[in-house]
Amino acid sequence: MAVAAAQKNREMFAIKKSYSIENGYPSRRRSLVDDARFETLVVKQTKQSVLEEARARANDSGLDSDFIQDDSHIGIGDKSTVEDGSQQDDIKNIHLAEADFGNDVGKGDEDYTLTEEEVILQNAASESPEAEQALQQAALLLRMRDGMGSLARILKTIDNYKGCVLHLETRPSQEVAVQFDALVKVNMSRMNLLQLIRSLRQTTAFAGVNLISDNNVSSKTPWFPCHASDLDNCNHLMTKYEPELDMNHPGFADKEYRERRKQIAEVAFGYKYGDPIPFITYTETENATWQRVFNTVVDLMPKHACQEYKAAFGKLQAADIFVPHRIPQLDDVSNFLRKHTGFTLRPAAGLLTARDFLASLAFRVFQSTQYVRHYNSPFHTPEPDCIHELLGHIPLLADPSFAQFSQEIGLASLGASDPEIEKLSTVYWFTVEFGLCKENQQLKAYGAALLSSIGELLHALSDKPELRPFEPASTSVQPYQDQEYQPIYYVAESFEDAKEKFRRWVSTMSRPFEVRFNPHTERVEVLDSVDKLETLIWQLNTEMLHLTNAVKKLKGTCFE
């Protein structure tokens, strides 16, 4: 039964609450560059297998009844068919501005109007026959009335129009009478893209179909949150190493564990900015798993952890937050961090996409899971869980220097291009997650994944892996392992050295503006005008005046 249930879940393209199709799932060996790239690119092999499953389901259940009911729905003339790539001749000859799309499917053509983006696309396509057939990358926002059942029909229709699905993700819709919003990124000819949009709008399955981007016609800066409350929109999850999907997960055959994970994930999905962090009553088994890992970290920490980690760990113990018999509550930990570095916690339902996770760091917000790893695998897990977040990340987020470094990575991600997000997330992986540093000529761990995974920690400090000096330019393109021990680790001379190298590297990024975080308003400000710069200079001058006066007073005290 468990295998059958998992197979059924695996056939779903996007799972409830905004899961994304993963690049190459269930690949056992991948790089973080590939993981980040999956947000904009699904490999051809994956796309083909997904479409084949879509066809099978559609044929079995009649799901495509609202789509391509006859050939005139695609083109006119001799009713040529495009399914499975068999024919496409008369599609080439359809005039974009005057094409008759045949039978209505719930909506009349008189209701059809082009948006600004579609007008730009149509004008670009009408320049020449070659322009019509030029490949176009675009993103469509579909508001689905009928829930996830529409996904198979969407994919089949895109395939019929000779399109390639680059990315697909869903999230529960806040629109009335709409169950889910789906973001679909496609690559197809301009002519077929316009026809696809019109075809989708003619069915009652959707409350709305909008073209929201097309990178060959217009260039727009990616949306990014500007206030901490905007993080409510940064909750896209990656389906990777989920107990419902991966037979290698220790909880795959444990129905009780899977249900527990779902319950805690639902709590996180319901969280909004300003809400109190939900209290989780952990079970005896979960607390026992925490205790095993906690006691082992306490034993190994004096020898292998960096000084900053040990100092903050001691403060957490003194505050009665880190104790062996009880998993800390995120609210207690968040209040502790706020007092020391201004960081706060926000509950997350699982592994966030790179862009969403990094964006949160810009606001000194760390998105933390609340569920616990399976008790059969207490000392290593390739997915995030609260033991990893608490024992790995929290101590160093309480260190001012490391907290500043984490925020700088987040600020650099805002408005960055997809390739730059890939590189930033890879730098994060090899520093914040798996970083090593020198301390009195000895190697120490500061990466959260090392300090919360005992097996990986001992491996990293052995003579087995290759150690390289941390240089962001080369580190940012290095493949990594997420289910096996790393073959390569990067060593920083110090936190300050790592920050300085990171700043110099970020200055070479292509983003055409700078941003800063205003802690008083919890808002990110784009420094794109003289007025904003003058205000910032005035604030900095005021701070410099206070610092100068403080130095004078200290010097005066020393001479007395």
Side-chain angles (χ1 to χ4, degrees), residues 199-453:
S199 174
L200 294 176
R201 282 188 178 151
Q202 288 178 321
T203 175
T204 57
F206 303 111
V209 178
N210 296 311
L211 175 66
I212 62 174
S213 70
D214 43 272
N215 62 8
N216 291 337
V217 176
S218 62
S219 177
K220 300 178 182 179
T221 300
W223 176 88
F224 58 86
C226 293
H227 186 267
S229 60
D230 294 337
L231 296 179
D232 288 346
N233 299 317
C234 295
N235 59 1
H236 300 82
L237 299 184
M238 295 170 62
T239 58
K240 180 167 68 174
Y241 203 67
E242 291 288 324
E244 294 279 355
L245 300 174
D246 197 319
M247 289 188 294
N248 295 299
H249 194 289
F252 177 77
D254 189 337
K255 181 179 180 180
E256 182 178 351
Y257 176 80
R258 298 199 310 272
E259 288 300 319
R260 174 67 169 164
R261 284 279 295 264
K262 288 181 180 179
Q263 291 171 4
I264 296 178
E266 288 295 327
V267 171
F269 280 126
Y271 180 85
K272 299 297 181 184
Y273 172 79
D275 291 347
I277 297 178
F279 185 95
I280 303 295
T281 302
Y282 290 104
T283 66
E284 291 184 7
T285 300
E286 290 166 340
N287 281 317
T289 302
W290 159 268
Q291 185 167 16
R292 291 184 65 187
V293 182
F294 181 89
N295 288 338
T296 306
V297 169
V298 170
D299 291 340
L300 295 176
M301 177 176 57
K303 182 179 180 181
H304 299 302
C306 66
Q307 184 59 44
E308 291 84 353
Y309 179 90
K310 291 185 287 188
F313 197 99
K315 293 178 181 178
L316 286 158
Q317 287 178 302
D320 201 36
I321 294 176
F322 273 9
V323 293
H325 60 278
R326 182 189 70 239
I327 299 175
Q329 292 294 324
L330 291 194
D331 191 54
D332 295 333
V333 177
S334 185
N335 290 334
F336 177 89
L337 289 177
R338 183 185 287 109
K339 294 176 182 177
H340 287 80
T341 61
F343 255 90
T344 58
L345 299 183
R346 179 187 175 98
L351 180 61
L352 291 165
T353 59
R355 187 179 290 277
D356 282 357
F357 178 79
L358 294 179
S360 302
L361 297 178
F363 299 86
R364 295 212 169 201
V365 172
F366 185 84
Q367 302 228 27
S368 173
T369 54
Q370 290 180 285
Y371 56 80
V372 183
R373 63 190 63 176
H374 197 271
Y375 62 87
N376 281 342
S377 181
F379 296 120
H380 181 264
T381 175
E383 61 175 341
D385 77 320
C386 69
I387 294 179
H388 166 73
E389 324 281 29
L390 293 167
L391 293 180
H393 286 285
I394 297 308
L396 282 174
L397 287 176
D399 177 80
S401 179
F402 192 84
Q404 177 67 25
F405 177 65
S406 298
Q407 185 180 30
E408 287 187 31
I409 295 178
L411 287 169
S413 76
L414 300 181
S417 66
D418 288 337
E420 289 167 342
I421 289 293
E422 296 172 16
K423 293 180 179 180
L424 284 167
S425 58
T426 306
V427 168
Y428 184 91
W429 179 265
F430 282 111
T431 55
V432 179
E433 292 289 357
F434 286 94
L436 295 171
C437 64
K438 293 180 181 179
E439 194 174 281
N440 298 324
Q441 304 304 313
Q442 292 183 328
L443 279 181
K444 301 292 182 180
Y446 71 89
L450 296 177
L451 294 165
S452 63
S453 177

Side-chain angles (χ1 to χ4, degrees), residues 163-230:
C164 175
V165 177
L166 305 179
H167 174 73
L168 170 63
E169 66 183 52
T170 66
R171 66 169 60 186
S173 179
Q174 298 187 14
E175 298 283 335
V176 178
V178 178
Q179 292 193 37
F180 291 95
D181 295 335
L183 176 67
V184 187
K185 295 183 180 180
V186 298
N187 189 22
M188 60 199 310
S189 72
R190 289 168 175 168
M191 181 184 70
N192 283 5
L193 176 59
L194 285 167
Q195 289 183 330
L196 171 68
I197 295 170
R198 188 160 186 164
S199 174
L200 294 176
R201 282 188 178 151
Q202 288 178 321
T203 175
T204 57
F206 303 111
V209 178
N210 296 311
L211 175 66
I212 62 174
S213 70
D214 43 272
N215 62 8
N216 291 337
V217 176
S218 62
S219 177
K220 300 178 182 179
T221 300
W223 176 88
F224 58 86
C226 293
H227 186 267
S229 60
D230 294 337

Side-chain angles (χ1 to χ4, degrees), residues 15-31:
I15 303 174
K16 184 182 179 183
K17 303 295 187 183
S18 180
Y19 287 130
S20 302
I21 290 182
E22 184 179 0
N23 180 18
Y25 183 87
S27 173
R28 294 289 298 169
R29 183 179 290 269
R30 58 172 78 85
S31 71

